[in-house]
Every structure is written in C-alpha cells, then in structure tokens.
Amino acid sequence: MVNIVGQHTTGHLRYDAPLTSDVEAFARPVSGWIRTVQRACDMGADALSVVRAACTPPGQVATLIVPADFSWSETGEPDTGGPADAFEPWVRRDAQPDCIRAAASILRSGEPTGLLLGGATMLAEGLHAAGKLAAGTGVRVFADRNTARMERGAGRFAPQRVPYFPEPAEAALAGLKHLILVESRPPVSFFGYPGRRSTLAPEDCAMHVLAAVDENGVGALQALVEECGIGSALIAGHETKRVNLPRGAALTPETIGLALSAEMPEHAIVSDEMISAAEPVLQRLASAGPYTHLPVTGGSIGQGLPVAVGAAVACPDRKVLALQADGSAMYTLQSLWTMARERLDVVVVILANRRYRILEIETRRTGAGEIGLRANDMMDLSRPDLDWVKLSEGQGVPACRASSGDEFIAFFRDAVKQPGPRLIEAVLQ
C-alpha cells in the first residue's frame, strides 16, 4: 500500500500553525518505509521509490509525505538521473536449494513434521503443492491464521488454520518434532497469559525455514514436491456438500454459517471481522463452494468494512460479503457511505451480540477475577442498543433486521441475488 500524505508548505512550517504536526511520527507505527520529499525536483524519483518500497516482498505500507508548495513549484532539472526510470515489477527471490533438500530429508525421516504456510502459499498454486506434499509424505499442513488472503472452499486443499487461543493451538501442534516454515514465522500466541509460554509449538520442536517471508514460497513448495518425487500424488480437497437449512432455528453463528454455505455465490470474497463468532461460522463454510477469505490480520479494530470496500473495487465482477461484528463495525461506519456512493456489490452481515465479546473473553483469561460494573460497561453495547438498520440507511445502504434463523436465511438468500450494497443486522441469540 502506498500512502501519499500532504504537509504544510515548507515556508509555513516554522509558524507552528494549528494543523502543524509531526506527520512522520504518526505514520511510523503503521509504515514500513517513510520519506518526506525535500525538494520539488525530487518528487518524481521519490514517488518511484515509494512504489518500489511498497512492492518489495513480502509487501509493506510505504508513506511519502509531500509539502504542499511542491505541487505548484517549478521542479527544474534533477541533479542525478531522472524520475521516469522504468519501474520493474518485483520478483520474489527463489528459496535456497539447500533449504529444499533439507526439508525433503526431514520429510523422509519419518519424524512427525508440520508445514506452516503463509503469504502467497495460501493461494491456488501454493495450496496445490502443499496438498501433494500432505498426500505424498503425510506431513501435517497448517495455515498461519494472520495471512491476509486465503483460497478456501470446494476443490481446494484445506490446511488446518492455527487456532487463535493457545490451548487449542498447542493441541493442534502437539507431537511435532519439526515445523517447516513457508513464508511464515514461528507461531506465537496473540497475547501473553498467566502461567503460559508464548510459543505454540512443542518446546522440543525444531524450526526450519523452507522459504523466508520475502522469498518465493510457492516455488519452494513445488520444488519440494519434485525433490520428494511425489508429483503424481492425489490431493484430498473439499467437495461442495448439500446443506440442509434448519427451520425454526435460533439465530446463532452456526445458523448463519449454514445459510452462508448454502446460499453464498461461488467465488465470492469474504471479508471476515466476526471476532468471537468467527470459528463456528467458518466451520460451516467448509461445505461452501470456492471462495476467497480475507481474515483479520492483526489486532486493530474496524478492518472488515474497509477491506470489503477495497475488494469490491478491485473485483467488481465478484460478490463481496462483509461478515462483521457490531462493535468493530462502529470504528469504520463511514465505509457504508462509500459502498453506497460507489454502488459496490457488497452484502454486509452485522453479527450483533451488542457486546465486545472478545474483550470479555480476554479479560477473563488474564485471571483478573469477576468483571466489575465499570469494566462491564466498557464492553457493553446496549443502553441504547445500536440500530444498524437506521445506521445503514442513514449512510445510503438498504438494510433489514433478522431476529430468527428463518428470517436471516430468507434475507440473505434475497440479498445475494440483488446488486449491492445491502446490509442485514443479525441479532444473535
């Protein structure tokens, strides 16, 4: 991602006007590369540099800060070279042959071994190669849960996503003697907890890098398949299963997951910020047709709706579903206005439990004891209840409210057949 940020004119900065701020300091925590243009004649070269920095594997946020007067100043001739140098598309470095041979040796050893996939390996070609390795060698394949984009659903090999909480994550990784990292890092818990270690793999599990995060993990997996001589291995992929939708069911994450699995169009894009409701919904989506999953990638709140906007702009021919917790949706509510203004084909499902449930769960996990009234108020989204129908319609997006499983199934079935945007508030029971 490239950020171009404006700044006061160079002559005006010395007067400390009301909008004067240290833009670099604001940008630093969320940028991997920052530069402030120093001269008007450097703008072209600096613009090329910021694009190159953003595209350097594995990709990062790069920020260029431009003083306002440089937009109307004469640039003159740059001192060295020119700003119009051709931009060469970035290419990931190939993994080291020694790493491929070492990984093949580990797989042949018969010791319990896992592959942890991240980055581009969670797309079609990487999953195909990982599926061959699982079928041909018996290696257990895991997915880094914070990978930004994953191909899932019918016809795709499905690695086990490392669970969020440490207890099930440790259970999933139990018994491994080796963990081979492919565009990923050693798995750690999201938070530190009393009496628990931060690393999730067994303490005696050796870590091996097949491809670093800035290397070509897909090519490394394909080379590993060839090194192991299992190119003809048959991959076990998920098949679409007919879902029998319940009648008269309560509106729960499980019911929502079943409805999505049955009615979601093939090749939909799912922006997922369901937080505490995510796992039961995603488990039911294992029976869905092929789709692209864009999960929460970190700990910020409010990612889901803007990501849905970006996906709909990038892929106007694909239906986008924003599966969104109610509390985190309040952080980026204005995304709905953008959806309406740009007529984006997005169906937003607000999973409304009227509470920051994940904060309650994490607070209890610290061993802090009973949650007091004041602390509870910080997690409560009632008094008054958020009215997502009015909030959505106020932003220009048609909306409805489902309070039962039957209502949600009917509303969602209708919504995916219509051009978006549309919103369904699902009041969880």
Side-chain angles (χ1 to χ4, degrees):
M1 177 180 288
V2 172
N3 287 330
I4 306 295
V5 183
Q7 175 62 290
H8 277 309
T9 63
T10 51
H12 195 60
L13 282 171
R14 71 173 71 101
Y15 297 106
D16 194 24
L19 286 179
T20 301
S21 60
D22 188 342
V23 180
E24 287 196 8
F26 280 109
R28 191 166 292 113
V30 293
S31 304
W33 183 99
I34 302 174
R35 179 177 297 171
T36 299
V37 181
Q38 299 299 317
R39 302 178 302 170
C41 65
D42 294 333
M43 282 204 298
D46 286 346
L48 187 61
S49 295
V50 71
V51 173
R52 282 177 172 157
C55 293
T56 298
Q60 61 184 334
V61 177
T63 300
L64 185 66
I65 302 164
V66 184
D69 51 318
F70 290 174
S71 65
W72 64 71
S73 301
E74 293 291 335
T75 62
E77 292 295 328
D79 292 339
T80 57
D85 296 335
F87 172 66
E88 297 181 2
W90 56 266
V91 177
R92 287 177 177 267
R93 295 182 293 110
D94 288 335
Q96 298 298 312
D98 287 349
C99 294
I100 295 168
R101 288 191 290 269
S105 177
I106 293 168
L107 294 179
R108 294 190 191 103
S109 72
E111 294 190 308
T113 301
L115 275 178
L116 180 59
L117 307 182
T121 67
M122 289 301 298
L123 305 184
E125 289 185 333
L127 291 175
H128 183 76
K132 284 186 174 294
L133 289 165
T137 71
V139 66
R140 294 160 59 188
V141 184
F142 301 91
D144 182 341
R145 68 174 298 106
N146 296 318
T147 298
R149 179 180 165 197
M150 307 177 182
E151 298 298 333
R152 307 183 76 172
R156 276 80 181 261
F157 173 71
Q160 180 181 357
R161 201 169 171 217
V162 176
Y164 173 82
F165 289 112
E167 294 88 351
E170 290 173 6
L173 299 170
L176 292 180
K177 295 299 182 183
H178 304 275
L179 187 60
I180 300 172
L181 307 175
V182 196
E183 291 190 37
S184 61
R185 295 183 172 89
V188 297
S189 61
F190 204 84
F191 294 109
Y193 298 104
R196 302 202 69 90
R197 55 190 175 88
S198 295
T199 55
L200 297 175
E203 291 185 279
D204 61 347
C205 179
M207 299 290 162
H208 312 270
V209 176
L210 176 65
V213 294
D214 60 345
E215 292 181 329
N216 182 359
V218 174
L221 289 171
Q222 293 169 337
L224 185 56
V225 169
E226 294 303 314
E227 184 72 21
C228 292
I230 54 172
S232 60
L234 298 178
I235 302 171
H238 276 303
E239 296 181 358
T240 303
K241 298 179 181 178
R242 180 175 178 80
V243 176
N244 295 318
L245 293 176
R247 293 184 178 181
L251 186 50
T252 64
E254 291 80 4
T255 304
I256 290 173
L258 289 172
L260 297 177
S261 181
E263 304 294 338
M264 188 170 70
E266 285 197 356
H267 306 295
I269 300 172
V270 175
S271 174
D272 162 21
E273 195 178 21
M274 294 179 282
I275 314 299
S276 59
E279 291 309 316
V281 173
L282 293 174
Q283 287 173 12
R284 274 71 188 175
L285 283 181
S287 300
Y291 70 97
T292 299
H293 182 204
L294 308 179
V296 172
T297 56
S300 62
I301 298 177
Q303 169 187 312
L305 295 180
V307 165
V309 167
V313 170
C315 302
D317 57 331
R318 298 173 67 182
K319 179 71 75 173
V320 176
L321 307 180
L323 307 182
Q324 181 68 54
D326 53 351
S328 51
M330 287 297 292
Y331 283 71
T332 48
L333 177 66
Q334 66 273 27
S335 301
L336 297 175
W337 183 81
T338 303
M339 293 176 191
R341 183 181 179 90
E342 301 300 328
R343 301 180 181 178
L344 301 179
D345 194 11
V346 182
V347 176
V348 178
V349 177
I350 299 293
L351 289 88
N353 59 13
R354 313 228 193 279
R355 191 163 183 79
Y356 287 110
R357 182 71 66 192
I358 191 64
L359 298 184
E360 178 184 357
I361 293 171
E362 292 289 5
T363 300
R364 294 188 186 282
R365 288 184 59 85
T366 65
E370 191 66 27
I371 297 175
L373 291 176
R374 292 294 187 186
N376 185 68
D377 278 347
M378 300 296 289
M379 305 171 193
D380 180 57
L381 291 175
S382 64
R383 309 192 328 267
D385 290 343
L386 296 172
D387 188 331
W388 278 99
V389 173
K390 290 181 179 179
L391 288 169
S392 181
E393 291 175 344
Q395 301 284 332
V397 175
C400 56
R401 177 179 295 112
S403 299
S404 69
D406 290 345
E407 285 182 340
F408 180 82
I409 291 167
F411 290 153
F412 183 75
R413 180 179 291 150
D414 178 66
V416 295
K417 294 177 181 177
Q418 309 296 330
R422 296 164 72 90
L423 181 143
I424 303 170
E425 180 183 12
V427 182
L428 298 179
Q429 299 174 6

